[in-house]
Amino acid sequence: MNRSQEELNNEFEFKLSDILYLVRRKIWLIVLAAVVFAAVGYAYTEYNYFPSYFATSSFLINVDNENNQGENTRPTMSEVGFARSLVPTYNEVLKSNRVMEKVAEILGLAMPPEMLKQIVTMTPVEKTSVFYVTTFYPDADIAVSLANAIADVAPDAFRETVEIGTVTVLDKAFITGIVPKNTVRNSIIGGVIGLMLSGLGVLACGYVSAKVIDVGGIEEKLMLPVLGEIKHVRKGKAPAGLAMTSDLLPSDYIRSNLLMSTLISHLANQKLMKKLLVTSTLSKEGKTMVAINLGICLARMGKSVLLIDCDMHKQSVHRYLNLPREKFTSFYGVKEDLQNQDKYIAKLERGFHVIPFIHQFDKKQVLFQSKEFIETIDELSKNYDYVILDAPSAYADPNTLNLVDSSDCVVFVVKHDRYTLKKISKSLMNLRMVGAKVIGCVLNDIKHIQVNVDADKKQRVYQQVQSEHSYAMPQLDKVV
């Protein structure tokens, strides 16, 4: 169960469901990139487009027929085939420096042969001995002049170079077309490139910073059971806040908190886990609200619960439960506090009590690790079925690690798609290094439908936790 950081990192691999979720979550970015790249393709085409005109002249290859001389002599198929076989040779002759230089000289163009070669193409007509010579140029008149100059120079060059057969000009050059803008094509290409690059970028970022996006990410990669799946609630659906003291909460949110509390209650059977420490990787994961609702639900099951706000950096339990600061004194964590409990303990629902304020000691002092604090918590716990410690984040706060000695187990809160698996595993390792028993995770603020891992795999995870902590685990089919 206690695996190294390297082993955990090696398991951070993508599944198809992870890829689909990442694409769905960042679909706006992918679409935006496609639109931007398509616009760039459109703008590039419009800005850089200059019309070029095609001018074409046609030629006929004649093969001398010495066996059949006469007026009605027609070329045989073999002669036509032979004529077509000469086209590649004529093409090389046509694009030779000798021909190109003569064409430039006739037209008075200060254009090197290599440039002329790029604007001249030679195309044979299928099953005939005819071929076309096409030029293209931004100026239509020059395009026609180039094709006609080639028609004037080429036959003599062919005859002087290739002694077999002759070439006759069929048609002088004329404009046959214009180079299209291809605005639509370039825009589509740009959009496709944008889709591919943004999609690959999203997947690369998701791989480098893999996060928990479903139950499988916890049970398979962190090898911890999921004790609860708390769905995201929009602000408009919970005008009075998310604490279970409100009557205006969505039914599925209430059920998920009750299910979480029921499972934790089963795990705490026979009071083997009386003091529960609730923490998370970093801030803004909703651990305090999970701790509050866990305490309320357990109290409504008939249990007596004491919730202590131990987050000295950001005490917020009093704000969520509307507890005024002036009505309660601070809890010092010393034995003298045991004599004046009514001054610092808020008694809310039947069986649900809260210590909302802990004295802000000097930063050099270590409150939670002191023997007196541990003994005070033990004394307080004798009056309750459960003591819930709302601790700071576990990633880099020593107060949470110091609180481990005052607790029996840890409930770890993971906010959906918030922090990377590497940070979460580092926090869990910190807790385990000081002897914490992490019994499971609560996946909080889920913003999309979850697909649970299969029941057999989940049961194996729970059995592995059971073997590590050596207490009775509930049968999943009876709890979930």
Side-chain angles (χ1 to χ4, degrees):
M1 186 71 177
N2 294 328
R3 298 175 299 169
S4 67
Q5 181 76 30
E6 183 178 357
E7 290 173 332
L8 284 168
N9 292 345
N10 290 337
E11 293 188 4
F12 298 161
E13 300 175 353
F14 272 164
K15 299 181 297 183
L16 179 59
S17 59
D18 298 339
I19 295 174
L20 293 177
Y21 171 73
L22 285 171
V23 171
R24 173 180 161 183
R25 179 174 175 269
K26 296 293 186 181
I27 189 66
W28 65 270
L29 180 61
I30 295 174
V31 172
L32 178 62
V35 172
V36 170
F37 273 74
V40 170
Y42 175 85
Y44 178 84
T45 303
E46 290 292 325
Y47 181 78
N48 292 281
Y49 175 75
F50 297 98
S52 293
Y53 298 88
F54 292 102
T56 303
S57 56
S58 57
F59 297 80
L60 174 66
I61 302 175
N62 299 304
V63 179
D64 295 334
N65 190 336
E66 298 177 354
N67 298 325
N68 299 305
Q69 299 291 336
E71 295 182 359
N72 296 325
T73 300
R74 296 177 179 273
T76 64
M77 291 301 297
S78 61
E79 291 173 339
V80 171
F82 178 71
R84 286 178 56 80
S85 68
L86 295 175
V87 171
T89 303
Y90 286 149
N91 183 56
E92 294 301 319
V93 174
L94 182 67
K95 291 188 176 184
S96 64
N97 289 343
R98 171 189 172 187
V99 173
M100 294 294 103
E101 288 172 355
K102 285 185 178 180
V103 170
E105 182 181 351
I106 292 173
L107 298 177
L109 296 175
M111 189 179 297
E114 293 300 324
M115 184 176 294
L116 281 175
K117 293 176 184 179
Q118 295 177 6
I119 63 176
V120 177
T121 58
M122 184 173 176
T123 309
V125 179
E126 188 175 358
K127 297 181 180 180
T128 69
S129 54
V130 176
F131 65 90
Y132 295 126
V133 173
T134 302
T135 60
F136 67 94
Y137 201 78
D139 187 298
D141 293 335
I142 294 179
V144 172
S145 298
L146 281 170
N148 284 330
I150 290 174
D152 293 337
V153 174
D156 292 338
F158 293 153
R159 185 170 51 256
E160 294 171 2
T161 307
V162 183
E163 297 180 355
I164 304 175
T166 59
V167 175
T168 304
V169 177
L170 293 179
D171 292 307
K172 285 290 188 176
F174 59 93
I175 297 297
T176 55
I178 185 172
V179 175
K181 252 186 183 181
N182 291 323
T183 303
V184 174
R185 185 196 68 180
N186 293 343
S187 298
I188 293 174
I189 292 175
V192 171
I193 293 175
L195 283 174
M196 295 176 62
L197 291 179
S198 59
L200 291 174
V202 166
L203 294 179
C205 291
Y207 181 80
V208 172
S209 58
K211 299 177 181 179
V212 172
I213 60 176
D214 58 12
V215 173
I218 297 174
E219 295 183 336
E220 295 178 354
K221 297 171 184 177
L222 300 178
M223 289 301 293
L224 283 173
V226 176
L227 305 176
E229 301 175 54
I230 313 299
K231 294 189 178 297
H232 173 75
V233 178
R234 296 179 181 177
K235 292 183 178 180
K237 292 186 177 182
L242 295 175
M244 293 284 285
T245 52
S246 172
D247 297 327
L248 303 176
L249 293 171
S251 58
D252 56 348
Y253 178 79
I254 296 174
R255 284 195 300 269
S256 60
N257 277 281
L258 289 172
L259 181 60
M260 171 194 68
S261 304
T262 301
L263 184 53
I264 292 177
S265 177
H266 276 273
L267 293 176
N269 190 25
Q270 298 178 355
K271 297 184 179 181
L272 294 176
M273 297 184 303
K274 187 170 187 176
K275 293 173 288 185
L276 312 177
L277 188 149
V278 179
T279 185
S280 60
T281 299
L282 289 169
S283 60
K284 298 182 180 181
E285 294 198 70
K287 65 170 180 58
T288 297
M289 190 57 65
V290 169
I292 291 172
N293 288 337
L294 173 61
I296 293 174
C297 291
L298 290 175
R300 291 177 181 177
M301 294 176 189
K303 307 296 182 181
S304 57
V305 182
L306 175 63
L307 171 63
I308 306 176
D309 190 345
C310 298
D311 193 342
M312 298 177 65
H313 300 294
K314 188 180 179 182
Q315 294 184 346
S316 55
V317 169
H318 70 284
R319 179 163 49 87
Y320 292 134
L321 296 176
N322 297 317
L323 301 174
R325 180 69 180 89
E326 60 273 9
K327 286 188 177 182
F328 304 96
T329 61
S330 295
F331 176 65
Y332 283 77
V334 294
K335 291 182 179 180
E336 286 77 3
D337 288 332
L338 299 174
Q339 308 301 322
N340 304 299
Q341 296 184 21
D342 292 338
K343 293 184 178 181
Y344 60 83
I345 295 180
K347 297 179 181 180
L348 303 179
E349 297 186 15
R350 186 180 65 179
F352 181 52
H353 297 174
V354 178
I355 298 180
F357 304 105
I358 285 186
H359 181 71
Q360 299 289 331
F361 286 88
D362 185 274
K363 292 182 179 180
K364 295 181 180 179
Q365 291 183 271
V366 181
L367 169 66
F368 300 136
Q369 200 177 25
S370 68
K371 181 179 180 181
E372 188 173 13
F373 178 84
I374 297 172
E375 291 176 350
T376 303
I377 295 298
D378 287 338
E379 286 297 321
L380 285 174
S381 66
K382 292 178 181 179
N383 301 321
Y384 297 93
D385 294 321
Y386 299 103
V387 174
I388 300 175
L389 305 174
D390 177 29
S393 58
Y395 186 73
D397 196 324
N399 287 324
T400 302
L401 305 182
N402 293 331
L403 277 168
V404 168
D405 290 336
S406 300
S407 65
D408 297 325
C409 63
V410 174
V411 175
F412 198 82
V413 178
V414 177
K415 185 175 182 179
H416 169 250
D417 198 18
R418 178 68 179 180
Y419 295 114
T420 64
L421 284 164
K422 293 180 180 180
K423 281 189 175 180
I424 296 171
S425 64
K426 176 65 164 55
S427 302
L428 291 170
M429 287 181 64
N430 290 342
L431 290 167
R432 289 181 176 129
M433 287 177 68
V434 295
K437 296 180 179 179
V438 183
I439 62 170
C441 293
V442 175
L443 186 56
N444 192 37
D445 200 28
I446 303 172
K447 295 181 181 178
H448 73 292
I449 298 174
Q450 298 296 312
V451 180
N452 292 323
V453 296
D454 61 88
D456 291 338
K457 183 179 292 185
K458 180 179 287 189
Q459 188 66 51
R460 288 196 298 272
V461 173
Y462 278 69
Q463 288 171 351
Q464 191 165 358
V465 175
Q466 177 184 2
S467 63
E468 178 184 356
H469 297 311
S470 67
Y471 48 72
M473 300 291 292
Q475 293 296 317
L476 292 179
D477 56 352
K478 296 181 180 180
V479 178
V480 180

